[in-house]
Structures are given as C-alpha cells and as structure tokens.
Amino acid sequence: MHITRIGNVLLAAALVAGASVAHAAEPAQKFPLRPVRLIVPYAPGGATDITARLLQTGISELWGQPVIVDNRAGASGNIALELAARSAPDGYTLQVGNVSTNAINETTFSSLNIKPSRDLTGVTNLIQLPHLWVVSTAVPVSSLRELVDYAKKPGARMNYGSAGVGSYPHLDAAKFLKHAGVEMTHVPYKGGAGQMIPAIMGNEVQFMFINMASSLPNIRAGRIKPLATTWPTRRPELPSVPTVTEAGYPGYGTNAWNGLFAPAGMPKPLLNQIYADVVKVMETPAMKEALAKVFMTAVVNKSPAEFQQFVVEEIRTWGRVAADNQIKVE
C-alpha cells in the first residue's frame, strides 16, 4: 500500500508537471485584443497630429484592431503627458509626442506633475520635419549674417515670434540670438503657426524659426522671406535657400521630431513587439510617400533603448539651453 501511494503521488506530480510544460509552451496572449488609444498633445491639424493619424491608418490595418487618436490639447502638451504617464503599461494607451512635449517641458515647466523621462518610455522616433529661419519681407536682408548685422545697427528694434514660451522655436531662436550677440523682443503665440504666419507677414514680428510645411505656401507667394534651412542638405522645394552650415551658423536650429511613447513599466516583450510593428509600418513605401507630401521624413530607431537614450540626451541639451537663457514656465 505504501508503494502504491507513492506511485500515485508521483503520477499526479508528473501530470501536473506535464500540464505546466504544455501551458508554458503555449504562445503569449496576442496583442492587441481591443482598440488602442494614441494620445496626441495638440488639437487636430498640426504636424504631431498628422504623424499620429498616418500611423493610425497603417498600424490599425496591421493589428486588425481600431486605433483611436485622442487629441488632448492644453497646457503646452502637459495634459497629454500626464494622461499617458498615468495609464496602464499594457500597450493599449500610447502617446505621440515631440521635442517640446517630451524633452523641453521636463525642465521648463515647474508645474509638471510627472517626469517624462521617468514616467514614460520611448518606443521609437517616427519622423523629422525640416525647419527654416525666416524674416518679414520688410526686413532688407537676404542671409542670416546680413540679419545679424542689420539687428546690431543703432536704433534697430526687432521682434521674434515663437509658438509659446518654452517651445523649441522659442529656445532655438534664443540660442541663436545669444550666439550672434543680438537682442530682440520675444513675442509668443499660443496658436502656433496659425498665428505666427500672419504676424510675420504683417511685420508684427520680423524674425522666427518655423517648420517648412507651415510656411512654404507663403514663401512661394513672396509673403515671407527664407534665410536658411536646418535640414542637412538644401531642400528640393527651396533649392536657392542655403543650409545653416552654408549660412555660417552650423548647428543652430532644430529639425523637430515626433516619436512614440508608452507608460513606463511596460513588459519588454510587449514593448519590443509594438516597436517592431510600428517600424514595419513607418518603413513601408506607402507611409514614406504620404509623409513626403507633408514634407516629413520617416526616421526610426534601432531599438526602444536607443530612442529612450536619445530623449534623455535631448532633455539634458534643452535643459542647458533653457537655463542659459533663463527660460522657465510657471
């Protein structure tokens, strides 16, 4: 009887072990099994929103599930940042952010209730967007060097516009002007390009840093004057406009990026799956063609870790720029 009982116990243990092995061999639960939310920190229509909606189309088709763009504008993107950071790290809430929201805001906003570098994790960069240094047609200059000389003349009073205090157009311009030894009055526009463009056309401001997509139609119409592009090479849309390197100011001006973020703490296998699927979509010919129509270029990373390190470095870089120019948002 004793031997029989031992045999029964061993048999039961073998059955349990076998069941455990079979369970372990089963594939992980498929993702996604329900709709996924893409949080965008701005109202519809801007570059970040356009990026999200292009990604939405491709990734929804790949996943076989609805992907919903959730525009959460306000507080310079901080509402969206906090919403994303406080979501479950299960892949069903992701955020499309940019250099301003996910890099600059961390050091310029004292009221930010989360820390993006700690509470969010990068999945991959998505796009880069070419930018231009432009002036009002009322300013009699045709290059950045001529602008600097003109602004230094006795009695010169000039304004520069931006998309708001602490935005990258603000920090980029402040950095450039400090390097050039020029003083101008900052005029922030909370409405972004929609207010900045009329302001420079009306000579309310004389100088600004702005993305090419927003300014190109009015440049072609002769209502805004471009001085240089921050793209590594001359843009085919504006072949006569030099790069900042050619203009004598290498490294001054940012080609804005948009990237995909997830709540911190996401399991690595899930993070890697989302990364691989998003990169697959971003690198399709259809996506590249759609991006080119709005002057964007797909730029992805080799891994989530590489993108996260890039974002951390961006936070440090912009933190120094903000500190050097005493820029802080209460």
Side-chain angles (χ1 to χ4, degrees), residues 184-263:
M184 293 187 189
T185 300
H186 177 222
V187 182
Y189 295 95
K190 292 183 179 180
Q195 291 181 332
M196 293 165 68
I197 295 294
I200 199 164
M201 289 195 300
N203 200 36
E204 182 178 300
V205 294
Q206 290 72 46
F207 180 55
M208 68 173 55
F209 185 63
I210 194 164
N211 73 70
M212 193 177 74
S214 297
S215 56
L216 187 60
N218 288 298
I219 289 172
R220 285 174 168 167
R223 293 188 284 263
I224 300 174
K225 194 188 307 182
L227 300 183
T229 175
T230 54
W231 205 246
T233 58
R234 293 196 181 202
R235 295 291 306 188
E237 301 88 356
L238 297 169
S240 64
V241 177
T243 66
V244 288
T245 299
E246 292 173 326
Y249 295 94
Y252 283 89
T254 301
N255 290 310
W257 51 263
N258 288 331
L260 186 66
F261 295 84

Side-chain angles (χ1 to χ4, degrees), residues 111-134:
S111 60
L112 191 57
N113 295 318
I114 57 103
K115 189 174 181 180
S117 62
R118 179 195 63 208
D119 301 323
L120 292 166
T121 188
V123 179
T124 182
N125 194 72
L126 298 171
I127 64 100
Q128 282 191 0
L129 184 64
H131 277 61
L132 299 165
W133 293 107
V134 300

Side-chain angles (χ1 to χ4, degrees), residues 141-156:
V141 303
S142 57
S143 71
L144 281 176
R145 289 201 181 278
E146 288 181 7
L147 171 72
V148 169
D149 292 341
Y150 179 82
K152 288 181 177 179
K153 289 182 178 180

